[in-house]
Amino acid sequence: MKKTIVLLLAVAVFLFGSNAFAFDPIPEDELQVGFVYVGPVGDGGWSYMHDLSRQAVEEAYPGITTSYVESVEEGPDAVRVMETFVRQGFQLIFATSFGFMDQVIEVAEQNPDVVFMHCSGYRTAENVGVYFGRMYQARYLSGLVAGSMTETNTIGFVAAHPIPEVIRGINAFTRGVRAVNPDAVVRVIWLYSWFDPGKESEATMALVDAGADVIAMHADSGAAPLAAEEAGVYVVGYNNDMSGYAPTRHLTAPIWDWGVVTTRVVGQVIEGTWQSENIWWGMDAGIVDLAPFGDMVPEEVRTLVEEERSRIVNGEWDVFWGPVADQDGNIRVAEGKRMSDEELLSFSWYVQGVEGEIPSN
Amino acid sequence: MSVRIRVERRLTQPVWIEAFIPLFSIVMALVTGSIFLAVLGAPPLQAYNAMFRASMGDWLGIRDTLVKAIPLMTAGVGVTLAFKMSVWNIGATGQIIIGALATTAAVRYVYVDNRFVMFWLMFLAAVLAGGGWAAMAGYLKARWNVNEIITTLMLNYIALQLLYYFVYGPWRDPASLGFPMTTPFPPAARLPFLGTGRIHLGLIIALVLGVIFWLVFRFTRWGYEIRVMGESPRTARFAGMDYVKNVVLVMFLSGAIAGIAGMGEVAGLTGRLQHGFTAEYGYTAIIVAWLARLHPLTVILVAFLIGALHVGGEVLQIVMRLPLASTQMLQGLILFFILGGEFFRRYRIRFHTGEKE
Amino acid sequence: MDVVITILAAAVRSGTPILYATLGEIITEKSGILNLGLEGLMLMGALTGFSVSQLSGSPWLGIACAFIVGAGISLIHAFLSITLRANQVVSGLALTIFGTGASSFFGQRFVGTTIPGLGRVPVPGLSDIPILGRVLFNHDLLVYISYGLVAFLYWFLVSTRTGLNLRAVGDTPRAADAMGLSVSRYRYIAVLVGGGIVAVGGAYLSVAYTRMWTELMTAGRGWIAVALVIFAIWHPARAAMGAYLFGGVVAFQLRLQAAGTSIPVPLLMMLPYLLTIAVLVFITIRQGKGILFGAPGSLGQPYFREEG
């Protein structure tokens, strides 16, 4: 019971945590913006995409100074890095990994004049906003493509860590697959690593050996698309357009554009209109999208994806509106009901069509 | 007429050599580093100045450096202990993780809402678990002479997988929306901070441990025996010293101290265990122990300097906009030069002119 | 049966980078020098192999350059530990830090690109052998070269004059010196050649296995190789066994998952490490107490020739 209350509180903070609190405007040529990355910018994935959003800020506001620290461990090091930014006079800090959450709050309490934006977390404060995107919408659309293209009706999913964000993505993808192909199943391999190109490549081959002819992924390197290209199976990338890794096999990829958020926040801080908010934008805002289709994707599939996209963008429908069945076919979300944001954020069960179990549940 | 170079072992090491050589090595490294920095387009003096100011230039910097140095000091003392006996414990990383896991277990399963009691419970848990973890490798070495470099290295990986198992599985905080982290520690399970910064009780523990083992090695019979066993196991055996028992004991203590470092990190700083807890600095502790020439008090100083190098490196990224990679290369360079400099501390080079002898 | 074959083939494929690194380290350690900088060497090898392949269009030139760069960086370690008699553990760790930094630094512009790399070349005739053919002879050329290297190294260490000399230098440098061998020369060559082979292991990862470059892409394989050297007791054939065992456990758990089996991955991933300890204990006990068979007698100790 106590735990439920804590959970509800956390969600309430997530949803309604915004506070009215005014910050003074900062002239563009005086504003310094710091970025904290969990991986190396050269990972070609998560941290790389966040660094693109830093570059987007520099392009949009040429007078601004930006800087970053890469490969910061999620722990005491993160506190020090953010404090160093503050001491060097940075007035806006983007912390771009979930694991920085406690540390962001800690530093923000000590420095109420500095604005913090934390990516993918749920704790906010007067000077701490959080931002994330509804990647699951793009994943659903990519599932439509994958479901249309599979012939063996087995689709492989190379997944990093069993956390709600990844599970939500697998579920959305699978909903897309099943919407066009009720016989297809999705098989998941957990790597327990965000970043190990060798293992991602090996996992891809293992899925191909198990009969998968389309591979989707939630990991940070391009190793899976490369392996898929070599094995001659289709692949759905992630993070950015990965067709460079799989020129003849890349169907599409759900992609991030964090610059949509960073440039807006920077603009608000310059104008002095920034307020703490929870940004969980969807495809309509452009923070998530699909990479261009590969040539092999037939016209009718493209049309279908376009139709579904406009339904989502216009708010007529969303991926986890009922009915949603779990793996055993039990209806978890009834027709006419919608999964709430808090349910989405703590997703810990597979929808119908995913094979296997979520570890440690 | 030919010039002949001869290398001779120094019989005595004058004080000025002890002090001058390491300083000279560092200067050489900085000079080489400045060429490198200049090539990257960063004014070297400005860069070094920024590094120094951020890590040691004022109290805030010193504070940051101290916080970073606490686990390095603690684990460094632990590693030193084993190295004294020529037992190559490179498993500080795993022992730190196990110490952190045991601390978390103490908070979960035997929580007492009293800061004093809770501290000792966590301390005991970290010591027993970290010590026991390392003692396994010690026992294998003592009993069958199984190579401890490998067992401790392997135990590092096993410890990391155990951490994953617990934070993804049984210990996952239900309020964290499914993210792999444990419930935050209650206030009574947090180590007290000293003063305003984030320097916690762990600093005192590290200093006390450093002093204790300095005294032990300097003044006690046991400390002497350990050194003899490290330098010449054969002599020790003839003298009737119990090598087997002491290997296990030394590994236990070494691991226990690393375990305390792990406790300091979770109970002192993060306040919960989470996925990103990696304790890579367990390897850095080995470098610290060696640079300090296995002297427990010097370990404290060297840990501080290495901490400063790390903190300063971040500032290079922020102020000079240099990638992490360039500061890593700089760190590697400094180590190379210090290592090379050691040669001139231990040996002297003589130039002889004249005909061949 | 098919599953078993694919797992075994995957074990060979994913074990190969570790095998190269292990073989390189065996050569180095046989001379009495311990090099813990494998992770840094592999990363530099991976970057060099990839970048040269991309710029020149020739993967083999890339691999050759990886060997040269690996040997070149090992020269730092050789100079410090042989000529200046520095501590080898610390020098190796410094090499890892330096190599990691240098590879990330110079590799930035290659992130996100790809190369054709090495393709699969089934060996005519041999690849048709049932089971074994698909497990062993359906890979790229670098895998076959590693088989040859295992055999060559065994022959070299056991049957050649130079090999015997190398072992003498590693076991009892004083005696070797008295025999008129140049301890320094043998050690320098061993560290350089060994480091070059380690770097080829890194290049295998980027040029043949994934055909891409990303920072830190070795993901700890260098450290596993350090362990495998002792697991193999400095024996090239056992090194191959160990490397494939490591690759096999990973391939096995991934395929269990691909088959839809739910397994506690962290617990399973402890297996190779536990197994290493178990095998090490077993082998050590069987050899009796005392020095491990094959362990170079002066490993990690600098040699100092007292002059009159």
Side-chain angles (χ1 to χ4, degrees):
Chain A
M1 189 56 211
K2 195 177 158 198
K3 284 173 180 170
T4 322
I5 290 171
V6 175
L7 178 63
L8 287 175
L9 277 177
V11 168
V13 168
F14 181 89
L15 294 172
F16 312 110
S18 332
N19 287 302
F21 187 85
F23 288 86
D24 292 332
I26 303 173
E28 187 180 319
D29 52 358
E30 284 173 25
L31 179 60
Q32 301 188 78
V33 186
F35 287 77
V36 187
Y37 305 138
V38 69
V41 287
D43 68 0
W46 181 260
S47 293
Y48 174 73
M49 294 313 287
H50 280 287
D51 198 53
L52 290 185
S53 80
R54 181 186 64 81
Q55 293 167 23
V57 168
E58 286 200 330
E59 255 171 51
Y61 302 94
I64 240 170
T65 309
T66 71
S67 210
Y68 66 83
V69 180
E70 57 183 328
S71 293
V72 178
E73 265 185 37
E74 298 172 333
D77 282 0
V79 174
R80 187 183 56 250
V81 168
M82 285 185 279
E83 280 180 347
T84 311
F85 268 126
V86 171
R87 239 175 270 153
Q88 297 288 340
F90 285 67
Q91 305 98 327
L92 169 60
I93 293 166
F94 289 90
T96 62
S97 176
F98 175 81
F100 296 144
M101 183 167 70
D102 292 353
Q103 286 75 33
V104 168
I105 297 293
E106 188 179 335
V107 180
E109 270 174 14
Q110 303 285 327
N111 301 284
D113 300 336
V114 178
V115 173
F116 293 83
M117 288 298 291
H118 179 220
C119 180
S120 79
Y122 54 79
R123 290 179 74 181
T124 56
E126 277 188 351
N127 58 335
V128 180
V130 290
Y131 66 109
F132 208 38
R134 295 179 187 269
M135 179 49 88
Y136 66 87
Q137 296 175 336
R139 283 207 182 273
Y140 169 81
L141 298 183
S142 71
L144 295 173
V145 182
S148 311
M149 301 300 286
T150 178
E151 281 167 15
T152 62
N153 284 345
T154 305
I155 293 171
F157 202 109
V158 179
H161 283 286
I163 59 172
E165 177 196 343
V166 183
I167 293 166
R168 188 167 64 237
I170 293 170
N171 284 337
F173 176 79
T174 307
R175 298 263 291 164
V177 168
R178 297 283 268 204
V180 291
N181 188 346
D183 298 326
V185 294
V186 175
R187 282 191 180 161
V188 183
I189 286 187
W190 295 106
L191 301 168
Y192 281 86
S193 161
W194 285 115
F195 189 73
D196 183 342
K199 215 168 171 186
E200 288 162 34
S201 169
E202 200 56 53
T204 306
M205 291 183 236
L207 287 164
V208 172
D209 289 342
D213 63 349
V214 182
I215 302 291
M217 61 178 278
H218 191 148
D220 277 352
S221 92
L226 260 170
E229 172 84 15
E230 183 162 323
V233 298
Y234 291 128
V235 65
V236 174
Y238 173 57
N239 272 324
N240 47 356
D241 185 349
M242 287 189 163
S243 56
Y245 290 113
T248 71
R249 296 286 159 181
H250 192 261
L251 297 174
T252 180
I255 55 175
W256 289 109
D257 181 3
W258 300 107
V260 178
V261 177
T262 54
T263 48
R264 189 178 95 137
V265 168
V266 167
Q268 289 173 332
V269 169
I270 289 172
E271 288 162 16
T273 55
W274 184 86
Q275 286 189 342
S276 172
E277 63 176 327
N278 305 285
I279 294 173
W280 201 22
W281 290 342
M283 283 188 89
D284 48 339
I287 186 171
V288 296
D289 207 341
L290 273 190
F293 295 113
D295 294 337
M296 71 298 278
V297 179
E299 203 48 49
E300 65 265 26
V301 177
R302 296 175 189 224
T303 318
L304 174 71
V305 170
E306 270 321 306
E307 285 168 14
E308 290 292 297
R309 175 210 286 272
S310 56
R311 281 205 327 158
I312 293 175
V313 169
N314 297 336
E316 294 162 33
W317 182 80
D318 203 354
V319 179
F320 293 107
W321 289 13
V324 181
D326 65 14
Q327 279 178 298
D328 304 323
N330 305 318
I331 300 292
R332 288 283 195 109
V333 183
E335 177 120 39
K337 301 256 186 202
R338 304 165 185 187
M339 278 183 84
S340 62
D341 280 357
E342 57 265 43
E343 284 169 323
L344 290 177
L345 285 169
S346 55
F347 229 133
S348 59
W349 49 275
Y350 281 145
V351 298
Q352 197 165 30
V354 188
E355 283 194 346
E357 286 168 47
I358 297 176
S360 317
N361 240 331
Chain B
M1 194 64 181
S2 70
V3 180
R4 193 151 177 264
I5 302 170
R6 252 172 40 167
V7 177
E8 291 172 358
R9 206 185 283 270
R10 277 186 203 280
L11 298 176
T12 55
Q13 277 145 6
V15 176
W16 70 269
I17 288 277
E18 290 279 324
F20 175 73
I21 295 287
L23 275 179
F24 183 73
S25 307
I26 293 174
V27 170
M28 285 300 292
L30 293 182
V31 169
T32 315
S34 64
I35 298 169
F36 171 68
L37 287 171
V39 170
L40 296 182
L45 283 181
Q46 209 179 321
Y48 288 143
N49 187 28
M51 279 180 87
F52 177 78
R53 282 227 320 263
S55 58
M56 291 188 270
D58 54 15
W59 169 236
L60 289 177
I62 292 173
R63 208 175 65 187
D64 274 357
T65 303
L66 277 175
V67 173
K68 176 74 193 170
I70 291 172
L72 283 178
M73 292 173 180
T74 321
V77 170
V79 169
T80 297
L81 185 56
F83 284 10
K84 279 266 192 204
M85 200 182 170
S86 296
V87 176
W88 308 117
N89 172 21
I90 59 169
T93 295
Q95 292 143 18
I96 291 168
I97 291 175
I98 293 298
L101 278 170
T103 306
T104 314
V107 176
R108 283 186 75 87
Y109 300 122
V110 289
Y111 179 69
V112 178
D113 194 14
N114 174 305
R115 210 164 195 179
F116 181 77
V117 177
M118 200 54 225
F119 169 77
W120 286 108
L121 283 174
M122 292 190 298
F123 187 84
L124 202 66
V127 162
L128 288 178
W133 192 254
M136 291 194 291
Y139 179 76
L140 290 176
K141 179 178 175 65
R143 181 78 176 74
W144 293 298
N145 201 19
V146 178
N147 186 300
E148 75 280 9
I149 296 183
I150 295 315
T151 47
T152 50
L153 184 65
M154 293 295 99
L155 286 170
N156 286 348
Y157 290 103
I158 297 172
L160 192 63
Q161 297 295 336
L162 267 182
L163 171 77
Y164 285 173
Y165 172 74
F166 280 108
V167 297
Y168 278 100
W171 290 358
R172 177 140 59 170
D173 177 11
S176 73
L177 301 179
F179 287 94
M181 47 212 255
T182 67
T183 324
F185 290 7
R190 300 296 300 271
L191 298 187
F193 288 122
L194 314 175
T196 51
R198 288 159 21 88
I199 300 172
H200 55 83
L201 191 59
L203 179 65
I204 307 282
I205 300 176
L207 294 176
V208 168
L209 285 171
V211 172
I212 287 179
F213 282 100
W214 174 65
L215 292 173
V216 163
F217 284 115
R218 178 119 202 190
F219 296 112
T220 70
R221 172 156 184 84
W222 183 72
Y224 171 74
E225 286 187 6
I226 295 297
R227 266 164 45 207
V228 171
M229 281 183 267
E231 278 155 28
S232 167
R234 187 182 300 221
T235 317
R237 215 168 300 135
F238 283 135
M241 298 173 187
D242 190 342
Y243 184 77
V244 169
K245 189 189 87 186
N246 277 304
V247 167
V248 180
L249 181 61
V250 159
M251 277 300 276
F252 178 87
L253 289 173
S254 181
I257 296 170
I260 294 170
M263 175 191 78
E265 292 291 276
V266 285
L269 292 175
T270 56
R272 67 163 86 181
L273 199 57
Q274 68 182 41
H275 170 81
F277 189 91
T278 52
E280 284 294 316
Y281 45 80
Y283 294 105
T284 317
I286 297 169
I287 296 179
V288 167
W290 269 106
L291 291 180
R293 298 184 201 130
L294 304 187
H295 189 297
L297 292 182
T298 317
V299 163
I300 303 288
L301 179 71
V302 172
F304 180 80
L305 291 176
I306 296 279
L309 202 58
H310 198 97
V311 173
E314 283 161 7
V315 172
L316 274 194
Q317 292 187 61
I318 294 174
V319 180
M320 295 289 178
R321 306 185 67 182
L322 294 174
L324 172 67
S326 56
T327 68
Q328 281 172 333
M329 288 166 77
L330 203 60
Q331 285 169 9
L333 272 181
I334 292 177
L335 280 176
F336 287 144
F337 275 96
I338 293 176
L339 278 162
E342 280 291 278
F343 175 76
F344 298 97
R345 190 176 68 82
R346 286 180 297 149
Y347 303 94
R348 66 168 78 207
I349 297 177
R350 287 220 164 142
F351 297 93
H352 296 259
T353 49
E355 294 303 308
K356 267 191 170 179
E357 286 158 59
Chain C
M1 199 59 225
D2 228 34
V3 180
V4 178
I5 292 172
T6 55
I7 289 178
L8 291 177
V12 171
R13 197 168 50 224
S14 56
T16 298
I18 311 175
L19 176 59
Y20 272 106
T22 310
L23 293 176
E25 181 69 3
I26 285 177
I27 298 175
T28 305
E29 291 191 11
K30 272 290 176 193
S31 78
I33 300 291
L34 177 71
N35 185 353
L36 290 185
L38 300 199
E39 192 77 9
L41 285 172
M42 285 183 84
L43 280 166
M44 280 308 286
L47 172 66
T48 311
F50 183 87
S51 55
V52 173
S53 301
Q54 189 181 69
L55 297 175
S56 72
S58 160
W60 292 105
L61 187 64
I63 287 157
C65 287
F67 180 89
I68 292 166
V69 166
I73 298 177
S74 300
L75 187 60
I76 303 175
H77 183 67
F79 179 69
L80 285 172
S81 55
I82 301 168
T83 305
L84 296 187
R85 296 155 208 174
N87 183 282
Q88 295 171 19
V89 173
V90 181
S91 172
L93 290 176
L95 197 64
T96 289
I97 298 173
F98 183 79
T100 307
S103 64
S104 300
F105 184 78
F106 295 108
Q108 272 167 350
R109 53 177 288 215
F110 295 102
V111 171
T113 60
T114 170
I115 50 171
L118 287 181
R120 197 177 294 190
V121 185
V123 183
L126 290 177
S127 59
D128 298 331
I129 304 171
I131 303 173
L132 269 189
R134 278 175 58 198
V135 173
L136 294 177
F137 300 109
N138 192 19
H139 298 286
D140 53 80
L141 287 175
L142 216 47
V143 172
Y144 307 142
I145 293 175
S146 73
Y147 302 157
L149 191 59
V150 170
F152 170 79
L153 208 54
Y154 178 76
W155 171 77
F156 170 76
L157 288 172
V158 171
S159 313
T160 67
R161 181 89 234 156
T162 324
L164 287 174
N165 289 346
L166 179 70
R167 282 160 57 200
V169 164
D171 279 332
T172 48
R174 198 160 299 281
D177 195 3
M179 279 158 57
L181 300 173
S182 167
V183 174
S184 295
R185 182 182 303 164
Y186 272 93
R187 290 191 164 175
Y188 260 97
I189 293 174
V191 172
L192 263 55
V193 171
I197 294 175
V198 172
V200 170
Y204 180 82
L205 209 53
S206 64
V207 176
Y209 195 55
T210 63
R211 297 182 292 116
M212 60 185 284
W213 158 257
T214 44
E215 291 184 29
L216 309 179
M217 70 181 297
T218 50
R221 284 172 179 81
W223 290 105
I224 289 168
V226 172
L228 278 184
V229 171
I230 298 181
F231 176 87
I233 332 175
W234 294 269
H235 191 301
R238 276 192 292 249
M241 212 178 67
Y244 298 153
L245 186 71
F246 246 96
V249 171
V250 174
F252 175 66
Q253 69 95 347
L254 291 175
R255 272 166 179 78
L256 267 187
Q257 291 197 58
T261 322
S262 179
I263 43 166
V265 178
L267 296 182
L268 196 76
M269 281 318 293
M270 288 178 197
L271 267 184
Y273 307 110
L274 284 171
L275 213 59
T276 305
I277 294 179
V279 171
L280 189 61
V281 171
F282 175 74
I283 294 172
T284 318
I285 293 174
R286 230 186 39 169
Q287 299 290 341
K289 288 179 191 174
I291 304 289
L292 282 170
F293 166 75
S298 70
L299 183 61
Q301 297 160 8
Y303 174 61
F304 181 63
R305 183 181 186 178
E306 303 286 350
E307 286 183 62

